mmCIF file of all heavy atoms in Angstrom:
data_model
loop_
_atom_site.group_PDB
_atom_site.id
_atom_site.type_symbol
_atom_site.label_atom_id
_atom_site.label_comp_id
_atom_site.label_asym_id
_atom_site.label_seq_id
_atom_site.Cartn_x
_atom_site.Cartn_y
_atom_site.Cartn_z
ATOM 1 N N ALA L 732 -56.394 -80.631 165.161
ATOM 2 C CA ALA L 732 -57.140 -81.518 164.268
ATOM 3 C C ALA L 732 -57.801 -80.764 163.122
ATOM 4 O O ALA L 732 -57.832 -81.229 161.984
ATOM 5 C CB ALA L 732 -58.198 -82.290 165.057
ATOM 6 N N GLY L 733 -58.356 -79.592 163.400
ATOM 7 C CA GLY L 733 -59.007 -78.830 162.337
ATOM 8 C C GLY L 733 -58.034 -78.441 161.244
ATOM 9 O O GLY L 733 -58.334 -78.548 160.059
ATOM 10 N N ASP L 734 -56.851 -78.005 161.633
ATOM 11 C CA ASP L 734 -55.837 -77.657 160.646
ATOM 12 C C ASP L 734 -55.436 -78.878 159.832
ATOM 13 O O ASP L 734 -55.221 -78.792 158.619
ATOM 14 C CB ASP L 734 -54.603 -77.081 161.342
ATOM 15 C CG ASP L 734 -54.882 -75.715 161.943
ATOM 16 O OD1 ASP L 734 -55.873 -75.080 161.532
ATOM 17 O OD2 ASP L 734 -54.110 -75.300 162.831
ATOM 18 N N ALA L 735 -55.324 -80.016 160.501
ATOM 19 C CA ALA L 735 -54.927 -81.235 159.796
ATOM 20 C C ALA L 735 -55.987 -81.627 158.770
ATOM 21 O O ALA L 735 -55.662 -82.040 157.652
ATOM 22 C CB ALA L 735 -54.722 -82.372 160.799
ATOM 23 N N ALA L 736 -57.256 -81.507 159.130
ATOM 24 C CA ALA L 736 -58.327 -81.849 158.195
ATOM 25 C C ALA L 736 -58.298 -80.933 156.977
ATOM 26 O O ALA L 736 -58.472 -81.380 155.839
ATOM 27 C CB ALA L 736 -59.677 -81.755 158.899
ATOM 28 N N ARG L 737 -58.062 -79.661 157.201
ATOM 29 C CA ARG L 737 -58.008 -78.720 156.088
ATOM 30 C C ARG L 737 -56.824 -79.035 155.178
ATOM 31 O O ARG L 737 -56.932 -79.034 153.954
ATOM 32 C CB ARG L 737 -57.892 -77.298 156.624
ATOM 33 C CG ARG L 737 -57.868 -76.236 155.537
ATOM 34 C CD ARG L 737 -57.805 -74.838 156.116
ATOM 35 N NE ARG L 737 -56.552 -74.614 156.844
ATOM 36 C CZ ARG L 737 -56.487 -74.483 158.161
ATOM 37 N NH1 ARG L 737 -57.585 -74.533 158.896
ATOM 38 N NH2 ARG L 737 -55.323 -74.286 158.757
ATOM 39 N N ASP L 738 -55.684 -79.349 155.793
ATOM 40 C CA ASP L 738 -54.505 -79.683 154.994
ATOM 41 C C ASP L 738 -54.730 -80.954 154.186
ATOM 42 O O ASP L 738 -54.287 -81.062 153.037
ATOM 43 C CB ASP L 738 -53.292 -79.868 155.907
ATOM 44 C CG ASP L 738 -52.850 -78.546 156.541
ATOM 45 O OD1 ASP L 738 -53.300 -77.488 156.065
ATOM 46 O OD2 ASP L 738 -52.093 -78.600 157.523
ATOM 47 N N ALA L 739 -55.427 -81.924 154.778
ATOM 48 C CA ALA L 739 -55.704 -83.175 154.066
ATOM 49 C C ALA L 739 -56.602 -82.920 152.864
ATOM 50 O O ALA L 739 -56.416 -83.506 151.787
ATOM 51 C CB ALA L 739 -56.358 -84.184 155.002
ATOM 52 N N ALA L 740 -57.603 -82.054 153.023
ATOM 53 C CA ALA L 740 -58.496 -81.739 151.910
ATOM 54 C C ALA L 740 -57.731 -81.063 150.778
ATOM 55 O O ALA L 740 -57.940 -81.353 149.597
ATOM 56 C CB ALA L 740 -59.639 -80.848 152.388
ATOM 57 N N TRP L 741 -56.813 -80.176 151.129
ATOM 58 C CA TRP L 741 -55.999 -79.514 150.115
ATOM 59 C C TRP L 741 -55.114 -80.525 149.389
ATOM 60 O O TRP L 741 -54.988 -80.495 148.169
ATOM 61 C CB TRP L 741 -55.133 -78.450 150.777
ATOM 62 C CG TRP L 741 -54.219 -77.755 149.808
ATOM 63 C CD1 TRP L 741 -54.513 -76.708 148.986
ATOM 64 C CD2 TRP L 741 -52.849 -78.098 149.542
ATOM 65 N NE1 TRP L 741 -53.407 -76.367 148.231
ATOM 66 C CE2 TRP L 741 -52.379 -77.210 148.555
ATOM 67 C CE3 TRP L 741 -51.976 -79.059 150.051
ATOM 68 C CZ2 TRP L 741 -51.073 -77.246 148.061
ATOM 69 C CZ3 TRP L 741 -50.685 -79.104 149.564
ATOM 70 C CH2 TRP L 741 -50.243 -78.211 148.578
ATOM 71 N N ALA L 742 -54.527 -81.445 150.146
ATOM 72 C CA ALA L 742 -53.644 -82.439 149.539
ATOM 73 C C ALA L 742 -54.400 -83.325 148.569
ATOM 74 O O ALA L 742 -53.884 -83.713 147.515
ATOM 75 C CB ALA L 742 -52.992 -83.288 150.628
ATOM 76 N N ALA L 743 -55.652 -83.650 148.897
ATOM 77 C CA ALA L 743 -56.441 -84.524 148.026
ATOM 78 C C ALA L 743 -56.737 -83.872 146.689
ATOM 79 O O ALA L 743 -57.033 -84.569 145.702
ATOM 80 C CB ALA L 743 -57.751 -84.890 148.721
ATOM 81 N N ALA L 744 -56.673 -82.540 146.631
ATOM 82 C CA ALA L 744 -56.984 -81.835 145.394
ATOM 83 C C ALA L 744 -55.802 -81.736 144.436
ATOM 84 O O ALA L 744 -55.947 -81.255 143.317
ATOM 85 C CB ALA L 744 -57.495 -80.427 145.731
ATOM 86 N N ARG L 745 -54.657 -82.187 144.857
ATOM 87 C CA ARG L 745 -53.483 -82.075 143.990
ATOM 88 C C ARG L 745 -53.571 -83.044 142.824
ATOM 89 O O ARG L 745 -54.270 -84.065 142.881
ATOM 90 C CB ARG L 745 -52.215 -82.335 144.807
ATOM 91 C CG ARG L 745 -51.903 -81.199 145.755
ATOM 92 C CD ARG L 745 -50.611 -81.403 146.477
ATOM 93 N NE ARG L 745 -50.674 -82.573 147.344
ATOM 94 C CZ ARG L 745 -49.664 -82.975 148.102
ATOM 95 N NH1 ARG L 745 -48.528 -82.331 148.076
ATOM 96 N NH2 ARG L 745 -49.796 -84.031 148.875
ATOM 97 N N ASP L 746 -52.841 -82.763 141.744
ATOM 98 C CA ASP L 746 -52.899 -83.627 140.565
ATOM 99 C C ASP L 746 -52.143 -84.924 140.804
ATOM 100 O O ASP L 746 -51.394 -85.064 141.761
ATOM 101 C CB ASP L 746 -52.366 -82.902 139.321
ATOM 102 C CG ASP L 746 -50.919 -82.474 139.479
ATOM 103 O OD1 ASP L 746 -50.105 -83.265 139.978
ATOM 104 O OD2 ASP L 746 -50.604 -81.333 139.106
ATOM 105 N N ALA L 747 -52.315 -85.871 139.867
ATOM 106 C CA ALA L 747 -51.744 -87.210 140.036
ATOM 107 C C ALA L 747 -50.224 -87.168 140.087
ATOM 108 O O ALA L 747 -49.598 -87.891 140.860
ATOM 109 C CB ALA L 747 -52.212 -88.124 138.911
ATOM 110 N N ALA L 748 -49.614 -86.337 139.277
ATOM 111 C CA ALA L 748 -48.158 -86.268 139.266
ATOM 112 C C ALA L 748 -47.630 -85.807 140.619
ATOM 113 O O ALA L 748 -46.631 -86.331 141.124
ATOM 114 C CB ALA L 748 -47.678 -85.327 138.172
ATOM 115 N N GLY L 749 -48.324 -84.840 141.192
ATOM 116 C CA GLY L 749 -47.919 -84.377 142.511
ATOM 117 C C GLY L 749 -48.053 -85.463 143.544
ATOM 118 O O GLY L 749 -47.217 -85.602 144.431
ATOM 119 N N ASP L 750 -49.121 -86.249 143.462
ATOM 120 C CA ASP L 750 -49.328 -87.340 144.401
ATOM 121 C C ASP L 750 -48.225 -88.380 144.293
ATOM 122 O O ASP L 750 -47.757 -88.911 145.295
ATOM 123 C CB ASP L 750 -50.686 -88.004 144.152
ATOM 124 C CG ASP L 750 -51.846 -87.117 144.584
ATOM 125 O OD1 ASP L 750 -51.599 -86.167 145.350
ATOM 126 O OD2 ASP L 750 -52.976 -87.375 144.148
ATOM 127 N N VAL L 751 -47.810 -88.692 143.075
ATOM 128 C CA VAL L 751 -46.750 -89.675 142.885
ATOM 129 C C VAL L 751 -45.456 -89.181 143.526
ATOM 130 O O VAL L 751 -44.758 -89.922 144.232
ATOM 131 C CB VAL L 751 -46.539 -89.964 141.383
ATOM 132 C CG1 VAL L 751 -45.275 -90.781 141.175
ATOM 133 C CG2 VAL L 751 -47.744 -90.703 140.816
ATOM 134 N N ALA L 752 -45.137 -87.921 143.291
ATOM 135 C CA ALA L 752 -43.918 -87.362 143.877
ATOM 136 C C ALA L 752 -43.997 -87.362 145.393
ATOM 137 O O ALA L 752 -43.029 -87.688 146.079
ATOM 138 C CB ALA L 752 -43.708 -85.945 143.351
ATOM 139 N N ARG L 753 -45.163 -86.999 145.903
ATOM 140 C CA ARG L 753 -45.341 -86.987 147.356
ATOM 141 C C ARG L 753 -45.186 -88.378 147.936
ATOM 142 O O ARG L 753 -44.524 -88.583 148.945
ATOM 143 C CB ARG L 753 -46.731 -86.447 147.714
ATOM 144 C CG ARG L 753 -47.034 -86.416 149.195
ATOM 145 C CD ARG L 753 -48.521 -86.398 149.438
ATOM 146 N NE ARG L 753 -49.134 -87.599 148.887
ATOM 147 C CZ ARG L 753 -50.423 -87.692 148.584
ATOM 148 N NH1 ARG L 753 -51.220 -86.660 148.738
ATOM 149 N NH2 ARG L 753 -50.915 -88.820 148.108
ATOM 150 N N ASP L 754 -45.813 -89.366 147.275
ATOM 151 C CA ASP L 754 -45.739 -90.737 147.785
ATOM 152 C C ASP L 754 -44.306 -91.249 147.787
ATOM 153 O O ASP L 754 -43.894 -91.956 148.708
ATOM 154 C CB ASP L 754 -46.629 -91.654 146.948
ATOM 155 C CG ASP L 754 -48.111 -91.358 147.145
ATOM 156 O OD1 ASP L 754 -48.445 -90.630 148.103
ATOM 157 O OD2 ASP L 754 -48.923 -91.828 146.330
ATOM 158 N N ALA L 755 -43.545 -90.912 146.768
ATOM 159 C CA ALA L 755 -42.151 -91.343 146.718
ATOM 160 C C ALA L 755 -41.353 -90.707 147.851
ATOM 161 O O ALA L 755 -40.525 -91.359 148.489
ATOM 162 C CB ALA L 755 -41.542 -90.976 145.366
ATOM 163 N N ALA L 756 -41.626 -89.426 148.100
ATOM 164 C CA ALA L 756 -40.918 -88.744 149.186
ATOM 165 C C ALA L 756 -41.280 -89.341 150.532
ATOM 166 O O ALA L 756 -40.408 -89.538 151.389
ATOM 167 C CB ALA L 756 -41.250 -87.250 149.156
ATOM 168 N N TRP L 757 -42.578 -89.639 150.717
ATOM 169 C CA TRP L 757 -43.004 -90.240 151.983
ATOM 170 C C TRP L 757 -42.380 -91.619 152.162
ATOM 171 O O TRP L 757 -41.972 -91.987 153.263
ATOM 172 C CB TRP L 757 -44.528 -90.348 152.031
ATOM 173 C CG TRP L 757 -45.182 -89.110 152.551
ATOM 174 C CD1 TRP L 757 -45.881 -88.173 151.853
ATOM 175 C CD2 TRP L 757 -45.201 -88.666 153.911
ATOM 176 N NE1 TRP L 757 -46.315 -87.170 152.682
ATOM 177 C CE2 TRP L 757 -45.921 -87.442 153.943
ATOM 178 C CE3 TRP L 757 -44.668 -89.161 155.093
ATOM 179 C CZ2 TRP L 757 -46.114 -86.728 155.129
ATOM 180 C CZ3 TRP L 757 -44.860 -88.450 156.275
ATOM 181 C CH2 TRP L 757 -45.583 -87.248 156.283
#
């Protein structure tokens, strides 16, 4: 769980373009 929380915090810091690409992949 601790690793997952850290990874989630890192993911939230990504730029909008990265988020769009990630969402499409998901």
Side-chain angles (χ1 to χ4, degrees):
D734 291 341
R737 182 178 64 250
D738 291 346
W741 178 83
R745 288 184 296 180
D746 60 44
D750 289 343
V751 169
R753 179 202 61 201
D754 291 347
W757 273 107

